[in-house]
Amino acid sequence: MPHDDASSEGRPARADVVIVGTGPAGAAVARILSEQRPDLMIIQFDAGPIVSDPPGAHVKNLSEGDRRTAQRRSEGPAPAASDISTDTLDGYASHDERIVRPGTHLLAEGYRQSGQDGLPALAFSTNVGGMGAHWTCACPRPGESERIAFLDDLDELLDEADRLLGVSAGLMADAPLAHEVRERLSRGLDHRRTRAVAPMPLAVREEPDGTLWWSGSDVVFGEATRKNPRHRLVAETVVTAVRTESGRVLGVRVTDRAAGESYEVDASIVVAAADAFRTPQLLWASGIRPPALGRYLNDQPQVVHAVKLRDVAPQSLGPAGGPIDVLSGVSWVPFTDAEPFHGQVMQLDASPVPYEGEILPGEVVGLGWFCTKDIRAEDRVEFDAAAVDEFGLPAMRVWYELTEQDRDSIERARRAIVDVGDLLGDAVFGEPLEFPPGASLHYQGTTRMGEVDDGTSVCDPDAQVWGITGLYVAGNGVIPTATACNPTLTTVALAVRAARAIAARADKTVLTEQTQDLSHA
């Protein structure tokens, strides 16, 4: 897996497949193609820098100093000051409308239109690995109406996504007090629910020395991609247009950010896997504008609460020792149609707000309830042809409102999280907090998948854009359903489906070695 920071030497001229973006979805496409079609020449671009070795690693795996540097370098053209905290728990109980997390950068303007709710906490990560370098690694499976009904192979795809992400359901199941937390949750909830409380499936593995390795895109890329001599990663290079002619992909136009120079790469297959905003932005800038592009935008309204476990017997604390991690254990209250929330119950080794007295590992429990959004075509991102963003692409303008159905769902979640908190312990910061729209970072729907080309979707079930042969989309934006669960597992599953389709259809586009040599001449 040769890779470059921005460099004018040896610029690629031609490929079989160009992948735009290196988050878990783009990495999954590269991995499946490397495994199934090692004959294909793959060029993968990212607008951001390489911030870790191996490229795309989760920042939790880095030393404190390297983590701080990686987070700052992921924060776009205007990173936070060096003295700003890199602790992801900071701001957990914040009332700030424009809450921002380390390793991300806010949309500077255009996040709200007059009289609307907007997405004030809308944020991005610009680095190799994307948001996959900074996420929680929670990988719950969608259930009931969250599932995509027209995909008969969804469960097998989710199994494959588990493999690529390295998901384990039991790694933290034996953390201090985790059994006590799940027992209390199960006793209070399972009798009335169609999906039972369980340990949260996490994309984490335990190393031989007992340390944890959190999955980023590096795990998804895997050795198959890193050892693929026909896969090349080009960082700090913005793809500014997908070139097409007569409904067929010709390649891409890119800009080397370091040199400020543009060039073209020929390819008959392009996979746009940036994120739920920058993928539709690229298509729009390329003149590819199906009616649903940028529409059906949905975030997951989020309510948070924290409690300190009550009535914990000393013998329940397990062996003495230092904390396992920032998280001691994670439990899962799955989404159901009757209770349309996804609950993420995180045992912490520190209180998210100042707390007097001793805090034992796993004794403070943070609860995050994510709600489904009332999905509407009116909720959308548009692009301004008269203005550009910091990367030279059309500026974003977000139109987004919480409906009465959404507000009712949030209020139900608020009541539910208090009830669940009461099953566990005593509130740490009083009433639950509602995070501002956009804070979940789980943006979906803007390049949604559909069963038929009826104007309400951007791509077909294989993620190929309607009417453009050779153009595929990947990322959270492809998910067409209203979900409350963390989207990464589903996103990787859909990227697997797209990659398999590309692998099966690419026979007529394979470059001969002679053609490849001529393209560099």
Side-chain angles (χ1 to χ4, degrees):
M1 180 178 164
H3 58 266
D4 306 295
D5 287 305
S7 171
S8 61
E9 297 181 3
R11 284 175 176 161
R14 186 167 176 80
D16 294 305
V17 181
V18 166
I19 304 172
V20 185
T22 59
V29 174
R31 169 77 168 271
I32 295 299
L33 292 180
S34 293
E35 291 178 343
Q36 297 189 3
R37 293 298 303 273
D39 55 319
L40 297 177
M41 182 65 70
I42 304 167
I43 307 296
Q44 192 156 11
F45 292 101
D46 200 288
I50 296 172
V51 299
S52 64
D53 184 15
H58 199 295
V59 299
K60 282 188 178 183
N61 304 322
L62 307 180
S63 68
E64 182 177 355
D66 289 345
R67 180 170 60 252
R68 181 182 298 272
T69 299
Q71 288 172 327
R72 295 293 91 100
R73 295 189 70 205
S74 302
E75 293 170 352
S82 60
D83 60 345
I84 297 298
S85 173
T86 61
D87 185 346
T88 55
L89 276 182
D90 285 353
Y92 183 85
S94 172
H95 291 274
D96 292 344
E97 181 184 53
R98 305 218 68 199
I99 187 172
V100 62
R101 294 174 175 84
T104 70
H105 53 104
L106 295 170
L107 180 65
E109 55 184 27
Y111 56 86
R112 177 192 289 132
Q113 306 308 310
S114 178
Q116 297 205 331
D117 297 290
L119 291 175
L122 169 57
F124 311 90
S125 290
T126 302
N127 54 276
V128 169
M131 202 70 77
H134 312 282
W135 66 312
T136 65
C137 293
C139 290
R141 292 205 170 196
E144 302 185 10
S145 62
E146 291 181 307
R147 293 172 58 86
I148 303 169
F150 57 81
L151 294 184
D152 294 335
D153 57 348
L154 181 60
D155 286 320
E156 189 275 326
L157 293 170
L158 291 167
D159 288 343
E160 183 69 343
D162 276 341
R163 178 181 77 93
L164 297 187
L165 285 160
V167 175
S168 168
L171 186 60
M172 291 187 178
D174 294 325
L177 299 173
H179 288 287
E180 180 69 23
V181 168
R182 286 197 302 277
E183 182 180 346
R184 295 183 188 187
L185 291 174
S186 295
R187 191 167 56 242
L189 299 176
D190 284 354
H191 65 281
R192 69 168 194 257
R193 310 183 82 254
T194 53
R195 303 176 77 197
V197 171
M200 176 67 76
L202 294 169
V204 187
R205 72 172 186 261
E206 187 173 4
E207 299 288 66
D209 64 359
T211 60
L212 300 180
W213 188 271
W214 298 78
S215 294
S217 289
D218 65 316
V219 172
V220 183
F221 278 129
E223 290 304 305
T225 309
R226 282 189 285 273
K227 292 181 178 179
N228 181 1
R230 297 175 71 81
H231 175 273
R232 181 176 175 185
L233 171 61
V234 183
E236 298 187 79
T237 300
V238 180
V239 178
T240 57
V242 178
R243 297 158 42 228
T244 62
E245 185 177 279
S246 302
R248 184 176 294 275
V249 165
L250 298 179
V252 294
R253 183 175 303 110
V254 305
T255 298
D256 178 329
R257 290 180 61 196
E261 298 173 356
S262 298
Y263 60 98
E264 294 184 348
V265 178
D266 295 335
S268 52
I269 295 174
V270 171
V271 183
D275 56 39
F277 289 89
R278 290 183 283 194
T279 290
Q281 180 188 45
L282 172 60
L283 268 58
W284 195 91
S286 306
I288 301 166
R289 303 172 184 176
L293 186 71
R295 291 186 175 272
Y296 303 98
L297 168 64
N298 66 96
D299 177 41
Q300 295 173 347
Q302 184 179 2
V303 177
V304 299
H305 195 36
V307 298
K308 185 175 183 290
L309 294 177
R310 72 169 74 89
D311 301 328
V312 177
Q315 61 266 28
S316 300
L317 298 180
I324 295 175
D325 194 79
V326 172
L327 302 181
S328 284
V330 187
S331 299
W332 174 30
V333 181
F335 165 94
T336 69
D337 289 337
E339 297 183 51
F341 328 115
H342 157 77
Q344 192 162 303
V345 182
M346 303 172 292
Q347 294 172 252
L348 311 175
D349 287 335
S351 174
V353 294
Y355 188 88
E356 293 185 5
E358 181 183 9
I359 298 295
L360 298 167
E363 190 180 22
V364 171
V365 180
L367 302 98
W369 254 229
F370 297 85
C371 307
T372 54
K373 176 73 173 72
D374 179 16
I375 296 181
R376 313 178 310 147
E378 300 95 319
D379 294 319
R380 66 197 187 275
V381 56
E382 293 185 348
F383 304 100
D384 189 343
V388 296
D389 65 11
E390 58 267 41
F391 298 106
L393 288 162
M396 300 178 191
R397 303 287 183 257
V398 175
W399 301 77
Y400 195 84
E401 291 187 278
L402 297 174
T403 66
E404 287 303 312
Q405 178 179 319
D406 294 327
R407 297 187 191 282
D408 177 68
S409 178
I410 293 168
E411 182 54 36
R412 288 182 62 194
R414 184 187 295 274
R415 293 196 298 268
I417 206 171
V418 169
D419 290 344
V420 172
D422 287 346
L423 294 174
L424 298 175
D426 302 315
V428 171
F429 50 73
E431 293 298 312
L433 302 174
E434 178 186 343
F435 275 176
S440 80
L441 307 177
H442 294 169
Y443 320 123
Q444 300 167 59
T446 52
T447 53
R448 70 202 305 248
M449 178 181 286
E451 192 170 14
V452 295
D453 184 9
D454 60 1
T456 65
S457 61
V458 171
C459 66
D460 68 17
D462 288 332
Q464 185 169 221
V465 173
W466 296 114
I468 307 292
T469 301
L471 177 58
Y472 294 78
V473 286
N476 292 352
V478 176
I479 299 173
T481 54
T483 69
C485 71
N486 310 63
T488 303
L489 186 74
T490 303
T491 289
V492 170
L494 299 182
V496 167
R497 199 173 208 274
R500 289 174 175 174
I502 293 168
R505 298 172 185 173
D507 295 286
K508 296 181 180 180
T509 66
V510 175
L511 300 174
T512 66
E513 290 297 331
Q514 181 180 13
T515 303
Q516 185 65 31
D517 290 342
L518 289 173
S519 71
H520 284 287

